[in-house]
Amino acid sequence: MKYFKQCLILMSLVLNVKYSTAQNPLIMNQFTADPSARVFNGKVYLYPSHDILATPGHGRVGWFCMQDYHVFSSPNLTDWTDYGVIVSQNKVPWADSTAYSMWAPDCIERAGKYYFYFPAPAKPGGARGFSVGVAIADDPAGPFISQPLPIAGIHGIDPNVQIDKDGQAYIYWAQGNLYGAKLKSNMLELDSEPVKLEGFPDKGLKEGPYLFERKGVYYMTYPHVADKIERLEYAMSDSLLGPFKYAGVLMDESTSGCWTNHQSVIEFKNQWYLFYHNDDLSPNFDKNRSVRADSLFFNEDGTIRKVIPTLRGVGISNATKKLKIDRFSAKSADGIDLAFLDTINKFKGWKTTFNKTGSWIQYNSVLFTKNQIKHVKVNARSATGGILLISTKDASEKTIAKMNIPKGYNWSVVTNDILFMPTGVKNLLVQLKGCGNVEVDWISFE
Ligand code: FUB
């Protein structure tokens, strides 16, 4: 019977697994927010909130609505696997299964166990406001088993956990301001009285604490409403419970107007990354958000350079995958338009329209394995017919292919032989030659 149950769990895990290849946003099969990224066993695991659209009777219409959490992982920050639901509001013994408020979570490993922390409102009769629960697993992708009760002594949202070099664990959370306390080694109980963390701007909502350590310095990162919407800031300290010293802005307010932002910071294969969110897949409703990542760099003095959000994001794209050039690294000042491929189903992503002679898109970091490719494929359509030139974008700018996109109203894959075979990691340039109007879904090499 036990073996049968284990098989069922394994089968459901296998059936739930979904794969996607990503730039920004990282996840294209659902809305994701509040990313907590962690490096476990040489892979990046992503524990985001899972936004859905509230409908009458299911959540508060027009507000955040979350009923469960998924976990994702990636070996390279480009290919992401969705392991499906790991915790849901109707399987947490103490949580109100009608609240749809499973907000920003976190996960940490201790002695081979994975502890998943999540805020949610308790059942009627329990504590008011948000409590913080824990679910435990033997694998970062689950299955996670929820504890019967939330952590006593925490009232707030956005838990974040850090284990210091000496093995002492700390938990942080938000309730207008930022709070912290020691955690016992069982990772389930507070080991000190909560304290309000000091050293942050007095005015304006602060939430989403995420602490990391680098070279003996503790960086507390957090979203803050300094003006009208949230921006990401950070403060530094030599102690995990502060006092902290405000150090600056990590990321400015989003230009799209998405009211919230929420971050995590990891080092993976000798590069630091900032994970955050925006409303890419729901530009008209900022409670349905999408997780992004961009590289993060430190100055010599240990301060952090402001991260400028990009569409290209992070990771190296394999040339044989479908390259979504609408997630560009750079583009010409005019003659390029981006739009959803399908305005009813935005999860299908975007298309690029070239509509001016010479207009161009640059897409960086594409890996060409030696002697691997012979052809270029472009999924495109053109009401006028047009020519796209695909070249490497480096000092020599070599033409890889000249693609003749025929006049027509349907999307079709145009295939051409390559004129030049790039090797290694290259930046690509896609340019409209002559006049016309060409729409591109993706480019790939085979
Ligand atoms: O996702 C719900 C809430 O929005 C989070 O808990 C906050 O940090 C903000 O992102």
Side-chain angles (χ1 to χ4, degrees):
M1 188 61 186
K2 194 174 160 209
Y3 175 73
F4 179 67
K5 268 191 187 159
Q6 277 171 350
C7 283
L8 274 183
I9 289 175
L10 265 178
M11 268 168 59
S12 73
L13 272 178
V14 170
L15 290 175
N16 271 330
V17 170
K18 294 186 188 82
Y19 301 92
S20 69
T21 307
Q23 298 101 46
N24 275 335
L26 294 178
I27 307 297
M28 292 292 290
N29 69 347
Q30 61 196 268
F31 297 117
T32 50
D34 308 327
S36 176
R38 294 286 180 191
V39 180
F40 295 137
N41 312 323
K43 282 202 267 183
V44 177
Y45 282 82
L46 184 63
Y47 300 89
S49 304
H50 177 196
D51 288 343
I52 55 175
L53 197 59
T55 51
H58 296 92
R60 180 174 144 198
V61 175
W63 188 239
F64 299 108
C65 183
M66 297 99 124
Q67 62 184 4
D68 57 29
Y69 299 99
H70 286 228
V71 58
F72 304 81
S73 87
S74 173
N76 54 14
L77 295 170
T78 299
D79 303 307
W80 290 92
T81 300
D82 175 2
Y83 295 90
V85 173
I86 50 167
V87 171
S88 79
Q89 63 178 6
N90 51 21
K91 296 227 173 69
V92 176
W94 56 267
D96 180 353
S97 62
T98 64
Y100 293 88
S101 298
M102 307 206 84
W103 286 15
D106 194 11
C107 188
I108 200 157
E109 184 267 344
R110 180 169 206 136
K113 298 253 179 235
Y114 296 85
Y115 296 84
F116 180 75
Y117 297 82
F118 57 95
K123 286 195 162 101
R128 293 179 65 180
F130 278 82
S131 297
V132 169
V134 193
I136 307 174
D138 292 325
D139 185 281
F144 283 88
I145 309 292
S146 286
Q147 290 295 293
L149 293 170
I151 300 179
I154 301 186
H155 302 288
I157 59 169
D158 300 354
N160 164 242
V161 177
Q162 172 76 16
I163 301 176
D164 200 14
K165 291 180 283 283
D166 62 3
Q168 176 66 56
Y170 294 79
I171 184 162
Y172 305 95
W173 66 94
Q175 208 185 10
N177 288 297
L178 307 183
Y179 296 84
K182 289 183 176 175
L183 260 186
K184 288 188 181 166
S185 60
N186 66 10
M187 304 299 277
L188 303 172
E189 293 169 273
L190 295 191
D191 201 15
S192 71
E193 282 301 312
V195 290
K196 176 172 172 261
L197 304 177
E198 299 298 343
F200 305 96
D202 290 331
K203 286 201 187 131
L205 175 82
K206 292 166 283 295
E207 52 183 0
Y210 183 96
L211 183 129
F212 68 95
E213 183 265 345
R214 178 182 177 266
K215 296 187 177 177
V217 175
Y218 300 101
Y219 294 80
M220 176 56 84
T221 63
Y222 57 95
H224 173 219
V225 186
D227 187 12
K228 291 193 175 70
I229 63 174
E230 290 184 339
R231 67 182 188 188
L232 302 181
E233 298 177 356
Y234 73 104
M236 295 158 76
S237 179
D238 55 11
S239 158
L240 281 106
L241 289 176
F244 291 86
K245 190 164 185 297
Y246 176 80
V249 177
L250 202 51
M251 177 173 277
D252 284 327
E253 290 90 346
S254 95
T255 51
S256 75
C258 183
W259 200 93
T260 63
N261 200 350
H262 190 115
Q263 77 303 327
S264 57
V265 176
I266 58 165
E267 187 183 21
F268 181 61
K269 298 187 177 166
N270 299 319
Q271 173 63 52
W272 287 85
Y273 296 99
L274 175 73
F275 287 71
Y276 60 101
H277 70 223
N278 202 345
D279 54 3
D280 300 78
L281 292 168
S282 173
N284 298 322
F285 180 58
D286 68 358
K287 309 288 180 290
N288 281 173
R289 299 155 293 176
S290 294
V291 164
R292 291 164 156 233
D294 274 300
S295 299
L296 176 145
F297 299 93
F298 291 87
N299 295 311
E300 280 294 307
D301 64 358
T303 54
I304 305 176
R305 284 191 225 154
K306 199 188 272 187
V307 179
I308 309 297
T310 73
L311 295 176
R312 176 62 187 87
V314 297
I316 292 172
S317 303
N318 197 307
T320 57
K321 295 276 172 71
K322 288 178 180 165
L323 306 174
K324 293 285 298 171
I325 59 167
D326 48 83
R327 309 293 85 194
F328 57 79
S329 308
K331 69 173 183 69
S332 51
D334 46 23
I336 296 289
D337 286 329
L338 300 188
F340 284 109
L341 276 164
D342 179 349
T343 49
I344 307 292
N345 181 3
K346 299 192 173 71
F347 293 111
K348 287 188 179 164
W350 295 264
K351 62 181 178 183
T352 308
T353 304
F354 297 78
N355 53 32
K356 192 172 173 200
T357 307
S359 54
W360 55 268
I361 286 276
Q362 183 175 331
Y363 182 97
N364 288 353
S365 303
V366 180
L367 175 64
F368 292 88
T369 305
K370 202 172 175 197
N371 295 331
Q372 191 187 23
I373 61 152
K374 290 195 172 59
H375 307 110
V376 187
K377 295 190 292 181
V378 179
N379 190 27
R381 73 176 173 188
S382 174
T384 56
I387 293 170
L388 289 179
L389 210 60
I390 303 177
S391 11
T392 54
K393 176 66 185 159
D394 48 26
S396 54
E397 243 182 64
K398 292 217 173 90
T399 304
I400 306 174
K402 196 172 167 188
M403 310 297 290
N404 203 337
I405 313 298
K407 182 174 172 175
Y409 293 98
N410 295 322
W411 289 97
S412 66
V413 178
V414 178
T415 306
N416 262 10
D417 290 347
I418 53 165
L419 304 169
F420 161 72
M421 189 184 301
T423 306
V425 177
K426 299 287 179 204
N427 298 337
L428 292 183
L429 189 71
V430 183
Q431 198 169 11
L432 182 68
K433 283 285 155 197
C435 49
N437 178 306
V438 176
E439 295 172 277
V440 175
D441 177 5
W442 49 259
I443 287 182
S444 190
F445 298 84
E446 62 176 20

